[in-house]
Amino acid sequence: LAAHDQINTIFKPRRYRLTATSYRHARADAFRLWNDYAREMTA
């Protein structure tokens, strides 16, 4: 639960400040980061 805030911040960019294209890129980057973290944690 302590990590929830840091993880939540990665996946919830401030949508109201972004264009749709920028939002999609931000989400894609977040999922790439998360996949990298998950891969490191299971290695």
Side-chain angles (χ1 to χ4, degrees), residues 11-25:
F11 285 97
K12 292 187 90 174
R14 289 179 164 70
R15 175 67 179 103
Y16 62 91
R17 293 183 164 191
L18 301 172
T19 63
T21 303
S22 295
Y23 181 73
R24 287 184 203 113
H25 286 291

Side-chain angles (χ1 to χ4, degrees), residues 7 10 30-43:
I7 294 167
I10 292 172
F31 279 105
R32 274 192 291 278
L33 269 172
W34 182 251
N35 284 332
D36 290 344
Y37 292 150
R39 195 175 304 119
E40 287 179 19
M41 286 188 271
T42 59

